[in-house]
Amino acid sequence: MSKKLKVMTIIGTRPEAIKMFPVIREMERYPEKIKPFVVLTGQHTGMLKQMHTFFKIKEDYNLNIMSYGQDLFTVSSRIISRFKKVLERFKPDLLLVQGDTTTVFISALSAFYLKIPVAHIEAGLRSFNKYQPFPEEINRRLTSSLSDLHFAPTVKDKNNLVREGVSPENIFVTGNTVVDAVSMVLEKETNAGGGLLKRLNFRPPLNPILTKEGKGEVVDKNIILVTAHRRENFGKPLQNICKALKIIAKRYPEYRVIYPVHPNPNVRNTVYSELKDISGISLTRPLSYGDFIHLMKISSLILTDSGGIQEEACVLGKPVLILRDVTERPGVIDAGIGRIIGSKTEDIIAETSKLIKKFNSNKSKIQNLKSKVQKPFGDGRAGERIVKVILKRLG
Ligand code: UD1
Ligand code: UDP
């Protein structure tokens, strides 16, 4: 029997778990050829555990690096000092990393120090702005320098890599694995709509305007779904976002703002102190992936600074207002799904109002742009393509 290929995937944060999952599942289809290992840095704990429970991912090792209010120095130094012995113990033939977090860059650097090949999933995205997103733009560029195989979601991402001198024969356009993940959720789960809202039991209870006449039942319409967690928005910008949400909630009482709040204390403290107990706004803990995708599906509009949620909005055909000044995902804009609006209070109110007026004049309850979407991030088979390349190049 020929030797199995030892492929180690490393996961640190919520989006990495979501986007790595389809690749792990695909590798499990080749038990005779691949021996997969899953290592967690534990850059996130609670949110990662939530994703692992949802996807039923089993880890082989956890570096357990997270500390409350950690900064980039603690995260980086803990990963680099703890990952070496794991790499030496498991001796992988390949390290798979996904995205642009500190877990990605530092684990790729660690593998490089031990001359272990690295494959980078979601490679080639560029905002061309060193500090936005910070530190992700530079994490991504440095990871490209350390990688041997580059899995680019789109042709534009591939071209960015080629311009930086990466050999085209090591770049593979695969689509984004987030499309695979969304498809898996939609196939699996049916618990959407009113049932979902009832189960999630948002506090304060959903507005009476969101109830069916006389029955007090929550129905799935007129939801503005919000997330914001990026470093560029800490402090004043996040306060401005919250101020805008308060005004929107007051001006449009027929809409409910639902905001699953990221546990980062820089986010949580600001959001809860600004928006707790505001009529028309429900704050909630982070939701499980299935619940979040279904909530996106029944929302009218999404306001976010998240990268992954923009991509998912494209899959689901939901309009998304992007709470950032630049993007490394131009496909969202080109598809007619997203608009960059930054984090100024008046801009957020103006752009949201514009969309709400458009919805109201169309008399449509649940907004959907599906007809416009050109699937910029692929067809849901990225995981399959990535594993095929790995087997061909290393198997
Ligand atoms: C990180 C990534 C960012 C990614 C985001 C996804 C870096 C530099 N940043 O940012 O690219 O978009 O994850 O969410 O890699 N915390 C918890 N429980 C959790 C997760 C976080 O309590 O499950 C709190 C902890 O206090 C932690 C803090 O959040 O110290 C910050 O976590 P960290 O991973 O450093 O940064 P994020 O802002 O989450
Ligand atoms: N997400 C989730 N539950 C939530 C909020 C987000 O499962 O309550 C998912 C979302 O569907 C997306 C991912 O988390 O796939 C985005 O993660 P995050 O915004 O933390 O990171 P980013 O994409 O900005 O790196």
Side-chain angles (χ1 to χ4, degrees), residues 13-15 43-48 66-72 75 100-103 135-136 139 229-231 234 262-265:
T13 65
R14 169 170 70 187
Q43 180 176 338
H44 286 176
T45 52
M47 293 205 295
L48 203 56
M66 196 186 98
S67 59
Y68 179 82
Q70 64 203 6
D71 64 17
L72 297 172
V75 174
D100 57 11
T101 66
T102 298
T103 285
E136 289 83 1
N139 280 348
H229 74 87
R230 306 222 75 85
R231 275 180 168 71
F234 290 175
H262 192 290
N264 190 329

PDB file of all heavy atoms in Angstrom, residues 13-15 43-48 66-72 75 100-103 135-136 139 229-231 234 262-265, ligand 1:
ATOM      1  N   THR A  13     -10.087  30.728  13.942  1.00  0.00           N
ATOM      2  CA  THR A  13     -11.236  31.607  14.202  1.00  0.00           C
ATOM      3  C   THR A  13     -12.498  31.054  13.536  1.00  0.00           C
ATOM      4  O   THR A  13     -12.431  30.125  12.723  1.00  0.00           O
ATOM      5  CB  THR A  13     -10.974  33.020  13.627  1.00  0.00           C
ATOM      6  OG1 THR A  13     -10.889  32.913  12.208  1.00  0.00           O
ATOM      7  CG2 THR A  13      -9.683  33.638  14.163  1.00  0.00           C
ATOM      8  N   ARG A  14     -13.611  31.696  13.859  1.00  0.00           N
ATOM      9  CA  ARG A  14     -14.901  31.253  13.300  1.00  0.00           C
ATOM     10  C   ARG A  14     -14.901  31.118  11.776  1.00  0.00           C
ATOM     11  O   ARG A  14     -15.263  30.052  11.258  1.00  0.00           O
ATOM     12  CB  ARG A  14     -15.983  32.239  13.755  1.00  0.00           C
ATOM     13  CG  ARG A  14     -17.309  32.076  13.047  1.00  0.00           C
ATOM     14  CD  ARG A  14     -18.395  32.885  13.696  1.00  0.00           C
ATOM     15  NE  ARG A  14     -18.248  34.313  13.517  1.00  0.00           N
ATOM     16  CZ  ARG A  14     -19.010  35.230  14.116  1.00  0.00           C
ATOM     17  NH1 ARG A  14     -19.959  34.865  14.955  1.00  0.00           N
ATOM     18  NH2 ARG A  14     -18.817  36.519  13.905  1.00  0.00           N
ATOM     19  N   PRO A  15     -14.511  32.179  11.011  1.00  0.00           N
ATOM     20  CA  PRO A  15     -14.617  32.021   9.558  1.00  0.00           C
ATOM     21  C   PRO A  15     -13.721  30.926   8.998  1.00  0.00           C
ATOM     22  O   PRO A  15     -14.053  30.296   7.985  1.00  0.00           O
ATOM     23  CB  PRO A  15     -14.213  33.401   9.014  1.00  0.00           C
ATOM     24  CG  PRO A  15     -13.493  34.080  10.127  1.00  0.00           C
ATOM     25  CD  PRO A  15     -14.071  33.540  11.385  1.00  0.00           C
ATOM     26  N   GLN A  43      -7.379  30.460  18.633  1.00  0.00           N
ATOM     27  CA  GLN A  43      -7.409  31.940  18.654  1.00  0.00           C
ATOM     28  C   GLN A  43      -8.786  32.408  19.109  1.00  0.00           C
ATOM     29  O   GLN A  43      -8.932  33.387  19.810  1.00  0.00           O
ATOM     30  CB  GLN A  43      -7.050  32.484  17.265  1.00  0.00           C
ATOM     31  CG  GLN A  43      -7.065  34.001  17.218  1.00  0.00           C
ATOM     32  CD  GLN A  43      -6.620  34.570  15.881  1.00  0.00           C
ATOM     33  OE1 GLN A  43      -5.929  33.919  15.092  1.00  0.00           O
ATOM     34  NE2 GLN A  43      -7.003  35.806  15.608  1.00  0.00           N
ATOM     35  N   HIS A  44      -9.833  31.687  18.671  1.00  0.00           N
ATOM     36  CA  HIS A  44     -11.176  31.839  19.228  1.00  0.00           C
ATOM     37  C   HIS A  44     -11.498  30.563  19.996  1.00  0.00           C
ATOM     38  O   HIS A  44     -11.101  29.483  19.562  1.00  0.00           O
ATOM     39  CB  HIS A  44     -12.220  31.987  18.119  1.00  0.00           C
ATOM     40  CG  HIS A  44     -12.199  33.332  17.453  1.00  0.00           C
ATOM     41  ND1 HIS A  44     -12.996  33.628  16.380  1.00  0.00           N
ATOM     42  CD2 HIS A  44     -11.497  34.467  17.729  1.00  0.00           C
ATOM     43  CE1 HIS A  44     -12.784  34.881  16.014  1.00  0.00           C
ATOM     44  NE2 HIS A  44     -11.866  35.403  16.809  1.00  0.00           N
ATOM     45  N   THR A  45     -12.237  30.699  21.086  1.00  0.00           N
ATOM     46  CA  THR A  45     -12.678  29.473  21.776  1.00  0.00           C
ATOM     47  C   THR A  45     -14.175  29.271  21.601  1.00  0.00           C
ATOM     48  O   THR A  45     -14.605  28.374  20.876  1.00  0.00           O
ATOM     49  CB  THR A  45     -12.321  29.487  23.271  1.00  0.00           C
ATOM     50  OG1 THR A  45     -12.799  30.698  23.834  1.00  0.00           O
ATOM     51  CG2 THR A  45     -10.846  29.384  23.508  1.00  0.00           C
ATOM     52  N   GLY A  46     -14.983  30.130  22.224  1.00  0.00           N
ATOM     53  CA  GLY A  46     -16.442  29.943  22.207  1.00  0.00           C
ATOM     54  C   GLY A  46     -16.998  29.838  20.797  1.00  0.00           C
ATOM     55  O   GLY A  46     -17.716  28.894  20.457  1.00  0.00           O
ATOM     56  N   MET A  47     -16.627  30.796  19.942  1.00  0.00           N
ATOM     57  CA  MET A  47     -17.203  30.814  18.590  1.00  0.00           C
ATOM     58  C   MET A  47     -16.701  29.636  17.764  1.00  0.00           C
ATOM     59  O   MET A  47     -17.395  29.124  16.896  1.00  0.00           O
ATOM     60  CB  MET A  47     -16.870  32.130  17.893  1.00  0.00           C
ATOM     61  CG  MET A  47     -17.542  33.333  18.519  1.00  0.00           C
ATOM     62  SD  MET A  47     -17.743  34.680  17.362  1.00  0.00           S
ATOM     63  CE  MET A  47     -16.066  35.124  17.030  1.00  0.00           C
ATOM     64  N   LEU A  48     -15.482  29.208  18.061  1.00  0.00           N
ATOM     65  CA  LEU A  48     -14.927  28.074  17.323  1.00  0.00           C
ATOM     66  C   LEU A  48     -15.618  26.786  17.752  1.00  0.00           C
ATOM     67  O   LEU A  48     -15.977  25.943  16.925  1.00  0.00           O
ATOM     68  CB  LEU A  48     -13.429  27.990  17.603  1.00  0.00           C
ATOM     69  CG  LEU A  48     -12.602  27.275  16.555  1.00  0.00           C
ATOM     70  CD1 LEU A  48     -12.792  27.894  15.192  1.00  0.00           C
ATOM     71  CD2 LEU A  48     -11.130  27.349  16.927  1.00  0.00           C
ATOM     72  N   MET A  66      -6.070  31.315  23.202  1.00  0.00           N
ATOM     73  CA  MET A  66      -6.863  32.541  23.424  1.00  0.00           C
ATOM     74  C   MET A  66      -6.766  33.083  24.846  1.00  0.00           C
ATOM     75  O   MET A  66      -6.755  32.335  25.809  1.00  0.00           O
ATOM     76  CB  MET A  66      -8.342  32.321  23.103  1.00  0.00           C
ATOM     77  CG  MET A  66      -9.080  33.647  22.949  1.00  0.00           C
ATOM     78  SD  MET A  66     -10.856  33.486  22.724  1.00  0.00           S
ATOM     79  CE  MET A  66     -11.419  33.770  24.381  1.00  0.00           C
ATOM     80  N   SER A  67      -6.669  34.414  24.966  1.00  0.00           N
ATOM     81  CA  SER A  67      -6.803  35.057  26.270  1.00  0.00           C
ATOM     82  C   SER A  67      -7.749  36.236  26.101  1.00  0.00           C
ATOM     83  O   SER A  67      -7.887  36.774  24.988  1.00  0.00           O
ATOM     84  CB  SER A  67      -5.444  35.531  26.792  1.00  0.00           C
ATOM     85  OG  SER A  67      -4.863  36.438  25.880  1.00  0.00           O
ATOM     86  N   TYR A  68      -8.383  36.634  27.177  1.00  0.00           N
ATOM     87  CA  TYR A  68      -9.362  37.713  27.111  1.00  0.00           C
ATOM     88  C   TYR A  68      -8.675  39.004  26.654  1.00  0.00           C
ATOM     89  O   TYR A  68      -7.646  39.398  27.204  1.00  0.00           O
ATOM     90  CB  TYR A  68      -9.998  37.911  28.497  1.00  0.00           C
ATOM     91  CG  TYR A  68     -11.013  39.019  28.528  1.00  0.00           C
ATOM     92  CD1 TYR A  68     -12.319  38.800  28.098  1.00  0.00           C
ATOM     93  CD2 TYR A  68     -10.669  40.288  28.967  1.00  0.00           C
ATOM     94  CE1 TYR A  68     -13.257  39.814  28.117  1.00  0.00           C
ATOM     95  CE2 TYR A  68     -11.596  41.316  28.988  1.00  0.00           C
ATOM     96  CZ  TYR A  68     -12.879  41.071  28.559  1.00  0.00           C
ATOM     97  OH  TYR A  68     -13.804  42.087  28.578  1.00  0.00           O
ATOM     98  N   GLY A  69      -9.234  39.636  25.609  1.00  0.00           N
ATOM     99  CA  GLY A  69      -8.692  40.913  25.140  1.00  0.00           C
ATOM    100  C   GLY A  69      -7.291  40.791  24.554  1.00  0.00           C
ATOM    101  O   GLY A  69      -6.511  41.748  24.589  1.00  0.00           O
ATOM    102  N   GLN A  70      -6.970  39.642  23.988  1.00  0.00           N
ATOM    103  CA  GLN A  70      -5.616  39.411  23.438  1.00  0.00           C
ATOM    104  C   GLN A  70      -5.272  40.437  22.356  1.00  0.00           C
ATOM    105  O   GLN A  70      -6.151  40.933  21.664  1.00  0.00           O
ATOM    106  CB  GLN A  70      -5.547  38.001  22.842  1.00  0.00           C
ATOM    107  CG  GLN A  70      -6.480  37.793  21.658  1.00  0.00           C
ATOM    108  CD  GLN A  70      -6.829  36.329  21.431  1.00  0.00           C
ATOM    109  OE1 GLN A  70      -6.467  35.468  22.203  1.00  0.00           O
ATOM    110  NE2 GLN A  70      -7.556  36.045  20.366  1.00  0.00           N
ATOM    111  N   ASP A  71      -3.956  40.708  22.211  1.00  0.00           N
ATOM    112  CA  ASP A  71      -3.564  41.574  21.097  1.00  0.00           C
ATOM    113  C   ASP A  71      -2.749  40.764  20.090  1.00  0.00           C
ATOM    114  O   ASP A  71      -2.521  39.560  20.282  1.00  0.00           O
ATOM    115  CB  ASP A  71      -2.824  42.830  21.585  1.00  0.00           C
ATOM    116  CG  ASP A  71      -1.498  42.490  22.263  1.00  0.00           C
ATOM    117  OD1 ASP A  71      -0.995  41.360  22.071  1.00  0.00           O
ATOM    118  OD2 ASP A  71      -0.956  43.352  22.981  1.00  0.00           O
ATOM    119  N   LEU A  72      -2.310  41.433  19.042  1.00  0.00           N
ATOM    120  CA  LEU A  72      -1.652  40.702  17.953  1.00  0.00           C
ATOM    121  C   LEU A  72      -0.350  40.069  18.419  1.00  0.00           C
ATOM    122  O   LEU A  72       0.047  39.007  17.928  1.00  0.00           O
ATOM    123  CB  LEU A  72      -1.387  41.653  16.780  1.00  0.00           C
ATOM    124  CG  LEU A  72      -2.663  42.240  16.146  1.00  0.00           C
ATOM    125  CD1 LEU A  72      -2.320  43.312  15.122  1.00  0.00           C
ATOM    126  CD2 LEU A  72      -3.472  41.128  15.491  1.00  0.00           C
ATOM    127  N   VAL A  75      -1.211  36.818  20.452  1.00  0.00           N
ATOM    128  CA  VAL A  75      -1.688  35.751  19.557  1.00  0.00           C
ATOM    129  C   VAL A  75      -0.510  35.184  18.768  1.00  0.00           C
ATOM    130  O   VAL A  75      -0.291  33.965  18.721  1.00  0.00           O
ATOM    131  CB  VAL A  75      -2.791  36.290  18.597  1.00  0.00           C
ATOM    132  CG1 VAL A  75      -3.175  35.245  17.572  1.00  0.00           C
ATOM    133  CG2 VAL A  75      -4.020  36.739  19.384  1.00  0.00           C
ATOM    134  N   ASP A 100      -6.974  34.997   6.241  1.00  0.00           N
ATOM    135  CA  ASP A 100      -6.077  36.135   6.468  1.00  0.00           C
ATOM    136  C   ASP A 100      -5.870  36.470   7.942  1.00  0.00           C
ATOM    137  O   ASP A 100      -5.497  37.581   8.286  1.00  0.00           O
ATOM    138  CB  ASP A 100      -6.648  37.371   5.753  1.00  0.00           C
ATOM    139  CG  ASP A 100      -8.071  37.700   6.206  1.00  0.00           C
ATOM    140  OD1 ASP A 100      -8.534  37.112   7.194  1.00  0.00           O
ATOM    141  OD2 ASP A 100      -8.707  38.556   5.560  1.00  0.00           O
ATOM    142  N   THR A 101      -6.145  35.519   8.816  1.00  0.00           N
ATOM    143  CA  THR A 101      -6.024  35.830  10.241  1.00  0.00           C
ATOM    144  C   THR A 101      -4.567  35.663  10.698  1.00  0.00           C
ATOM    145  O   THR A 101      -3.710  35.175   9.952  1.00  0.00           O
ATOM    146  CB  THR A 101      -6.901  34.888  11.087  1.00  0.00           C
ATOM    147  OG1 THR A 101      -6.370  33.577  10.956  1.00  0.00           O
ATOM    148  CG2 THR A 101      -8.353  34.911  10.635  1.00  0.00           C
ATOM    149  N   THR A 102      -4.332  36.017  11.946  1.00  0.00           N
ATOM    150  CA  THR A 102      -2.990  35.836  12.503  1.00  0.00           C
ATOM    151  C   THR A 102      -2.662  34.348  12.597  1.00  0.00           C
ATOM    152  O   THR A 102      -1.516  33.946  12.383  1.00  0.00           O
ATOM    153  CB  THR A 102      -2.913  36.552  13.866  1.00  0.00           C
ATOM    154  OG1 THR A 102      -3.144  37.944  13.602  1.00  0.00           O
ATOM    155  CG2 THR A 102      -1.560  36.398  14.516  1.00  0.00           C
ATOM    156  N   THR A 103      -3.664  33.519  12.879  1.00  0.00           N
ATOM    157  CA  THR A 103      -3.444  32.066  12.841  1.00  0.00           C
ATOM    158  C   THR A 103      -2.850  31.636  11.502  1.00  0.00           C
ATOM    159  O   THR A 103      -1.888  30.867  11.433  1.00  0.00           O
ATOM    160  CB  THR A 103      -4.786  31.312  13.061  1.00  0.00           C
ATOM    161  OG1 THR A 103      -5.138  31.401  14.441  1.00  0.00           O
ATOM    162  CG2 THR A 103      -4.699  29.851  12.660  1.00  0.00           C
ATOM    163  N   PRO A 135      -5.049  43.589  10.648  1.00  0.00           N
ATOM    164  CA  PRO A 135      -3.809  43.365   9.898  1.00  0.00           C
ATOM    165  C   PRO A 135      -3.982  42.390   8.732  1.00  0.00           C
ATOM    166  O   PRO A 135      -3.019  41.864   8.194  1.00  0.00           O
ATOM    167  CB  PRO A 135      -2.920  42.725  10.963  1.00  0.00           C
ATOM    168  CG  PRO A 135      -3.882  41.866  11.754  1.00  0.00           C
ATOM    169  CD  PRO A 135      -5.193  42.610  11.767  1.00  0.00           C
ATOM    170  N   GLU A 136      -5.229  42.158   8.333  1.00  0.00           N
ATOM    171  CA  GLU A 136      -5.501  41.043   7.409  1.00  0.00           C
ATOM    172  C   GLU A 136      -4.860  41.205   6.031  1.00  0.00           C
ATOM    173  O   GLU A 136      -4.432  40.221   5.429  1.00  0.00           O
ATOM    174  CB  GLU A 136      -7.015  40.826   7.271  1.00  0.00           C
ATOM    175  CG  GLU A 136      -7.685  40.236   8.506  1.00  0.00           C
ATOM    176  CD  GLU A 136      -8.028  41.268   9.575  1.00  0.00           C
ATOM    177  OE1 GLU A 136      -7.756  42.471   9.348  1.00  0.00           O
ATOM    178  OE2 GLU A 136      -8.548  40.887  10.638  1.00  0.00           O
ATOM    179  N   ASN A 139      -1.350  40.122   6.493  1.00  0.00           N
ATOM    180  CA  ASN A 139      -1.338  38.676   6.788  1.00  0.00           C
ATOM    181  C   ASN A 139      -1.486  37.881   5.487  1.00  0.00           C
ATOM    182  O   ASN A 139      -0.801  36.888   5.250  1.00  0.00           O
ATOM    183  CB  ASN A 139      -2.509  38.303   7.701  1.00  0.00           C
ATOM    184  CG  ASN A 139      -2.233  38.630   9.161  1.00  0.00           C
ATOM    185  OD1 ASN A 139      -1.101  38.919   9.531  1.00  0.00           O
ATOM    186  ND2 ASN A 139      -3.269  38.589   9.980  1.00  0.00           N
ATOM    187  N   HIS A 229     -17.272  43.972  13.485  1.00  0.00           N
ATOM    188  CA  HIS A 229     -16.266  43.509  14.448  1.00  0.00           C
ATOM    189  C   HIS A 229     -14.837  43.895  14.088  1.00  0.00           C
ATOM    190  O   HIS A 229     -13.904  43.610  14.826  1.00  0.00           O
ATOM    191  CB  HIS A 229     -16.338  41.989  14.578  1.00  0.00           C
ATOM    192  CG  HIS A 229     -15.770  41.270  13.374  1.00  0.00           C
ATOM    193  ND1 HIS A 229     -14.427  40.976  13.260  1.00  0.00           N
ATOM    194  CD2 HIS A 229     -16.340  40.834  12.245  1.00  0.00           C
ATOM    195  CE1 HIS A 229     -14.224  40.361  12.107  1.00  0.00           C
ATOM    196  NE2 HIS A 229     -15.360  40.266  11.462  1.00  0.00           N
ATOM    197  N   ARG A 230     -14.624  44.544  12.945  1.00  0.00           N
ATOM    198  CA  ARG A 230     -13.242  44.761  12.482  1.00  0.00           C
ATOM    199  C   ARG A 230     -12.497  45.807  13.299  1.00  0.00           C
ATOM    200  O   ARG A 230     -13.090  46.765  13.794  1.00  0.00           O
ATOM    201  CB  ARG A 230     -13.236  45.220  11.021  1.00  0.00           C
ATOM    202  CG  ARG A 230     -13.970  44.320  10.057  1.00  0.00           C
ATOM    203  CD  ARG A 230     -13.189  44.177   8.788  1.00  0.00           C
ATOM    204  NE  ARG A 230     -12.082  43.303   9.033  1.00  0.00           N
ATOM    205  CZ  ARG A 230     -12.161  41.965   8.974  1.00  0.00           C
ATOM    206  NH1 ARG A 230     -13.272  41.375   8.644  1.00  0.00           N
ATOM    207  NH2 ARG A 230     -11.120  41.236   9.230  1.00  0.00           N
ATOM    208  N   ARG A 231     -11.195  45.612  13.384  1.00  0.00           N
ATOM    209  CA  ARG A 231     -10.343  46.555  14.118  1.00  0.00           C
ATOM    210  C   ARG A 231     -10.499  47.996  13.624  1.00  0.00           C
ATOM    211  O   ARG A 231     -10.472  48.931  14.403  1.00  0.00           O
ATOM    212  CB  ARG A 231      -8.874  46.144  13.971  1.00  0.00           C
ATOM    213  CG  ARG A 231      -8.460  45.109  14.981  1.00  0.00           C
ATOM    214  CD  ARG A 231      -7.000  44.719  14.811  1.00  0.00           C
ATOM    215  NE  ARG A 231      -6.566  43.949  15.955  1.00  0.00           N
ATOM    216  CZ  ARG A 231      -6.948  42.716  16.217  1.00  0.00           C
ATOM    217  NH1 ARG A 231      -7.794  42.101  15.414  1.00  0.00           N
ATOM    218  NH2 ARG A 231      -6.496  42.081  17.286  1.00  0.00           N
ATOM    219  N   PHE A 234     -13.187  49.784  15.531  1.00  0.00           N
ATOM    220  CA  PHE A 234     -13.183  49.926  16.994  1.00  0.00           C
ATOM    221  C   PHE A 234     -13.282  51.410  17.364  1.00  0.00           C
ATOM    222  O   PHE A 234     -12.715  52.276  16.695  1.00  0.00           O
ATOM    223  CB  PHE A 234     -11.885  49.387  17.618  1.00  0.00           C
ATOM    224  CG  PHE A 234     -11.736  47.890  17.567  1.00  0.00           C
ATOM    225  CD1 PHE A 234     -10.553  47.289  17.999  1.00  0.00           C
ATOM    226  CD2 PHE A 234     -12.758  47.068  17.105  1.00  0.00           C
ATOM    227  CE1 PHE A 234     -10.389  45.905  17.963  1.00  0.00           C
ATOM    228  CE2 PHE A 234     -12.604  45.689  17.063  1.00  0.00           C
ATOM    229  CZ  PHE A 234     -11.413  45.115  17.484  1.00  0.00           C
ATOM    230  N   HIS A 262     -20.237  40.172  18.208  1.00  0.00           N
ATOM    231  CA  HIS A 262     -18.947  39.475  18.327  1.00  0.00           C
ATOM    232  C   HIS A 262     -18.434  39.629  19.769  1.00  0.00           C
ATOM    233  O   HIS A 262     -18.530  40.707  20.344  1.00  0.00           O
ATOM    234  CB  HIS A 262     -17.978  40.128  17.337  1.00  0.00           C
ATOM    235  CG  HIS A 262     -16.704  39.385  17.110  1.00  0.00           C
ATOM    236  ND1 HIS A 262     -15.732  39.286  18.085  1.00  0.00           N
ATOM    237  CD2 HIS A 262     -16.235  38.711  16.035  1.00  0.00           C
ATOM    238  CE1 HIS A 262     -14.716  38.578  17.598  1.00  0.00           C
ATOM    239  NE2 HIS A 262     -14.996  38.217  16.360  1.00  0.00           N
ATOM    240  N   PRO A 263     -17.875  38.544  20.363  1.00  0.00           N
ATOM    241  CA  PRO A 263     -17.484  38.615  21.779  1.00  0.00           C
ATOM    242  C   PRO A 263     -16.233  39.440  22.078  1.00  0.00           C
ATOM    243  O   PRO A 263     -15.893  39.640  23.244  1.00  0.00           O
ATOM    244  CB  PRO A 263     -17.238  37.147  22.151  1.00  0.00           C
ATOM    245  CG  PRO A 263     -16.981  36.450  20.866  1.00  0.00           C
ATOM    246  CD  PRO A 263     -17.710  37.202  19.798  1.00  0.00           C
ATOM    247  N   ASN A 264     -15.537  39.928  21.053  1.00  0.00           N
ATOM    248  CA  ASN A 264     -14.378  40.791  21.302  1.00  0.00           C
ATOM    249  C   ASN A 264     -14.808  41.948  22.212  1.00  0.00           C
ATOM    250  O   ASN A 264     -15.747  42.675  21.884  1.00  0.00           O
ATOM    251  CB  ASN A 264     -13.869  41.327  19.959  1.00  0.00           C
ATOM    252  CG  ASN A 264     -12.531  42.033  20.107  1.00  0.00           C
ATOM    253  OD1 ASN A 264     -12.239  42.621  21.142  1.00  0.00           O
ATOM    254  ND2 ASN A 264     -11.733  41.961  19.064  1.00  0.00           N
ATOM    255  N   PRO A 265     -14.131  42.144  23.359  1.00  0.00           N
ATOM    256  CA  PRO A 265     -14.562  43.197  24.290  1.00  0.00           C
ATOM    257  C   PRO A 265     -14.593  44.590  23.649  1.00  0.00           C
ATOM    258  O   PRO A 265     -15.415  45.421  24.028  1.00  0.00           O
ATOM    259  CB  PRO A 265     -13.521  43.146  25.414  1.00  0.00           C
ATOM    260  CG  PRO A 265     -12.581  42.050  25.100  1.00  0.00           C
ATOM    261  CD  PRO A 265     -13.008  41.348  23.861  1.00  0.00           C
TER     262      PRO A 265
HETATM  263  C1  UD1 B   1     -10.138  37.668  14.365  1.00  0.00           C
HETATM  264  C2  UD1 B   1      -9.294  37.905  13.114  1.00  0.00           C
HETATM  265  C3  UD1 B   1     -10.130  38.557  12.029  1.00  0.00           C
HETATM  266  C4  UD1 B   1     -11.395  37.769  11.771  1.00  0.00           C
HETATM  267  C5  UD1 B   1     -12.139  37.543  13.055  1.00  0.00           C
HETATM  268  C6  UD1 B   1     -13.321  36.652  12.829  1.00  0.00           C
HETATM  269  C7  UD1 B   1      -6.911  38.401  13.404  1.00  0.00           C
HETATM  270  C8  UD1 B   1      -5.905  39.463  13.602  1.00  0.00           C
HETATM  271  N1  UD1 B   1      -8.189  38.798  13.398  1.00  0.00           N
HETATM  272  O1  UD1 B   1     -10.496  38.929  14.890  1.00  0.00           O
HETATM  273  O2  UD1 B   1      -9.380  38.617  10.838  1.00  0.00           O
HETATM  274  O3  UD1 B   1     -12.203  38.477  10.885  1.00  0.00           O
HETATM  275  O4  UD1 B   1     -11.277  36.916  14.017  1.00  0.00           O
HETATM  276  O5  UD1 B   1     -14.250  36.743  13.837  1.00  0.00           O
HETATM  277  O6  UD1 B   1      -6.568  37.267  13.264  1.00  0.00           O
HETATM  278  N2  UD1 B   1     -13.359  36.298  21.887  1.00  0.00           N
HETATM  279  C9  UD1 B   1     -14.085  35.516  22.758  1.00  0.00           C
HETATM  280  N3  UD1 B   1     -14.587  34.326  22.288  1.00  0.00           N
HETATM  281  C10 UD1 B   1     -14.415  33.918  21.025  1.00  0.00           C
HETATM  282  C11 UD1 B   1     -13.692  34.717  20.143  1.00  0.00           C
HETATM  283  C12 UD1 B   1     -13.158  35.904  20.582  1.00  0.00           C
HETATM  284  O7  UD1 B   1     -14.261  35.855  23.910  1.00  0.00           O
HETATM  285  O8  UD1 B   1     -14.907  32.852  20.672  1.00  0.00           O
HETATM  286  C13 UD1 B   1     -12.814  37.596  22.362  1.00  0.00           C
HETATM  287  C14 UD1 B   1     -11.592  37.409  23.280  1.00  0.00           C
HETATM  288  O9  UD1 B   1     -11.626  38.363  24.301  1.00  0.00           O
HETATM  289  C15 UD1 B   1     -10.450  37.736  22.332  1.00  0.00           C
HETATM  290  C16 UD1 B   1     -11.062  38.801  21.453  1.00  0.00           C
HETATM  291  O10 UD1 B   1     -12.406  38.373  21.249  1.00  0.00           O
HETATM  292  O11 UD1 B   1      -9.342  38.184  23.053  1.00  0.00           O
HETATM  293  C17 UD1 B   1     -10.395  39.078  20.138  1.00  0.00           C
HETATM  294  O12 UD1 B   1     -10.191  37.904  19.378  1.00  0.00           O
HETATM  295  P1  UD1 B   1      -9.099  37.931  18.180  1.00  0.00           P
HETATM  296  O13 UD1 B   1      -9.108  36.601  17.519  1.00  0.00           O
HETATM  297  O14 UD1 B   1      -7.802  38.426  18.663  1.00  0.00           O
HETATM  298  O15 UD1 B   1      -9.618  39.032  17.201  1.00  0.00           O
HETATM  299  P2  UD1 B   1     -10.969  39.137  16.396  1.00  0.00           P
HETATM  300  O16 UD1 B   1     -11.382  40.555  16.488  1.00  0.00           O
HETATM  301  O17 UD1 B   1     -11.893  38.073  16.808  1.00  0.00           O
END
